[in-house]
Amino acid sequence: MAEIGRDLEKAASLLRRGEVIGIPTETVYGLAGNALLDESILKIFEVKQRPQFNPLILHTWSVEQIQAFVSILPKQVHDLAQQHWPGPLTILLPKSSIVPDLLTAGNERVAIRIPNHPLTLSLLKKLDFPLAAPSANPFGYISPTTADHVADQLGPIIPYILDGGSTTVGIESTIIGWEAEGGFKLYRHGGLEPKEIERITGPLSRIPSSAKPQSSGMLKSHYAPTAALFVGEIEELWSTYASPRTAVLSFQKSYSFVSDKQQFILSEKGDIREAARNLFAYLRRLDNGDFDTIIADYVPDEGIGQAINDRLERAQHEHKPDHS
Ligand code: TXA
Ligand code: MG
């Protein structure tokens, strides 16, 4: 069973030996290994039971480090880095030859991020290689926001989890790509609002929702609990799914027709960031066997609310057409 602790030296020495471990970031916990070593990358895919055509994010600690991993570093990326790194932003950039094809699943671009967590930044500085880290959940399941979430599922198969407490953002990083034809494209909504990015890059182009998924976070079914989840108007959903085994997950409101022990509120004060922080932990709690159905409402579709709604839709039992 994985040991949970705060021993950076132990974490570093396991990673130097090619092992994979759980690490905290400000978004979600990652399953980390040496990003430049095929053996470690393969171990990540194996532990996560993730298809190998799915590329991994390379995590490092400074823009100077990044120079080695990319063949082009556009000026706007310097500006983005200055304002938003360390932080919940991942950028796809043309990769250099030292980045293994296995990491990028054959893509010409590598996904790069400087995560904002003091323990993990200290860990990265101790190492002479960057870390590959997908979210530390089995492929397709809810992302972990505490060390215990990681242990619950991956504990038996990894040696160590670095405990950095509950994550402060709670949903994954926003992913943008630098496009050969110029400009940037939004690939995944996440912890950084698009409008913050657009101040630097200008309008981000978006991928039509009908497009072939280019990253697993874009797969229609992802972040899915075992219980069936439906998103929409609570009143309406309740009229179909009312049962003692149905849980209600609402953004802000409570409902008089639902018993207290069946309803869960993401943020009573209607704070979208608090809702993001609670989302995955609540979904896990509701998925512990007491309920077979979860009904949820959309959060306001602004700022990182778009990222929350995106996660809820992908977690749905049967994908419905995009509401936006
Ligand atoms: O917040 C986060 O981004 C967390 C923490 C641990 O950093 N990581 C994370 O990783 O969410 P993961 O693997 O669960 O999701 C990363 C997404 C995947 O959907 C993957 O397909 C996409 O990024 N991705 C990674 N490298 C890519 C590449 N070279 N080209 C296109 N998409 C890429
Ligand atoms: Mg993931």
Side-chain angles (χ1 to χ4, degrees):
M1 196 64 187
E3 182 188 334
I4 300 182
R6 297 172 58 87
D7 184 345
L8 285 174
E9 206 33 69
K10 175 157 190 172
S13 77
L14 285 163
L15 290 164
R16 287 187 198 109
R17 272 186 265 145
E19 290 293 341
V20 303
I21 64 166
I23 59 162
T25 83
E26 79 283 32
T27 58
V28 300
Y29 273 69
L31 178 65
N34 182 341
L36 304 182
L37 188 69
D38 281 355
E39 178 202 327
S40 298
I41 300 168
L42 285 171
K43 213 174 264 181
I44 292 173
F45 287 123
E46 189 185 307
V47 168
K48 196 172 157 75
Q49 294 173 288
R50 178 175 186 158
Q52 283 176 23
F53 56 76
N54 235 297
L56 305 177
I57 299 175
L58 180 151
H59 297 71
T60 184
W61 58 275
S62 80
V63 181
E64 290 70 57
Q65 302 285 314
I66 291 171
Q67 317 262 8
F69 311 127
V70 301
S71 59
I72 302 171
L73 199 57
K75 154 100 179 54
Q76 286 154 310
V77 173
H78 280 281
D79 298 342
L80 286 166
Q82 196 161 29
Q83 289 201 20
H84 298 296
W85 273 343
L89 172 67
T90 295
I91 309 181
L92 304 177
L93 290 166
K95 77 177 203 67
S96 72
S97 56
I98 68 162
V99 174
D101 289 327
L102 203 52
L103 185 84
T104 66
N107 282 296
E108 308 269 299
R109 291 184 300 183
V110 57
I112 302 219
R113 171 161 122 81
I114 301 181
N116 190 13
H117 193 289
L119 267 187
T120 291
L121 286 169
S122 305
L123 176 65
L124 285 163
K125 286 180 199 167
K126 279 179 176 286
L127 300 169
D128 58 7
F129 50 83
L131 290 175
S135 51
N137 51 281
F139 184 66
Y141 194 67
I142 305 161
S143 302
T145 56
T146 66
D148 284 339
H149 292 166
V150 181
D152 284 345
Q153 286 169 312
L154 305 182
I157 43 177
I158 59 175
Y160 197 69
I161 302 166
L162 193 59
D163 188 356
S166 292
T167 63
T168 53
V169 173
I171 46 176
E172 297 84 350
S173 59
T174 302
I175 303 182
I176 60 169
W178 184 74
E179 305 300 310
E181 63 272 20
F184 290 81
K185 195 183 260 184
L186 180 67
Y187 287 86
R188 178 175 76 182
H189 281 286
L192 183 64
E193 290 183 32
K195 77 166 194 282
E196 294 290 329
I197 300 168
E198 288 178 325
R199 278 196 197 134
I200 295 168
T201 60
L204 291 167
S205 51
R206 317 271 165 136
I207 299 167
S209 55
S210 56
K212 177 172 164 286
Q214 294 180 30
S215 71
S216 60
M218 294 170 62
L219 290 174
K220 283 185 172 173
S221 172
H222 214 66
Y223 315 107
T226 311
L229 184 141
F230 302 94
V231 200
E233 294 290 333
I234 298 292
E235 286 90 346
E236 202 179 309
L237 290 168
W238 185 257
S239 68
T240 312
Y241 297 108
S243 140
R245 289 184 53 78
T246 294
V248 173
L249 180 65
S250 78
F251 170 53
Q252 185 178 12
K253 273 202 274 186
S254 62
Y255 295 89
S256 54
F257 48 85
V258 184
S259 81
D260 282 352
K261 60 178 193 302
Q262 282 172 267
Q263 53 186 323
F264 301 83
I265 300 175
L266 287 174
S267 173
E268 279 179 26
K269 54 181 192 286
D271 175 349
I272 204 84
R273 291 187 182 274
E274 182 178 35
R277 226 167 13 245
N278 286 333
L279 178 70
F280 288 143
Y282 278 38
L283 283 175
R284 275 179 187 257
R285 206 197 298 168
L286 300 186
D287 204 26
N288 70 357
D290 289 347
F291 303 109
D292 53 27
T293 305
I294 301 168
I295 60 177
D297 57 5
Y298 286 109
V299 308
D301 209 39
E302 297 148 17
I304 65 167
Q306 292 179 66
I308 300 177
N309 287 335
D310 168 80
R311 303 301 185 273
L312 286 170
E313 285 191 338
R314 291 180 206 282
Q316 280 203 95
H317 187 52
E318 275 166 297
H319 188 77
K320 294 186 191 150
D322 284 349
H323 72 289
S324 56

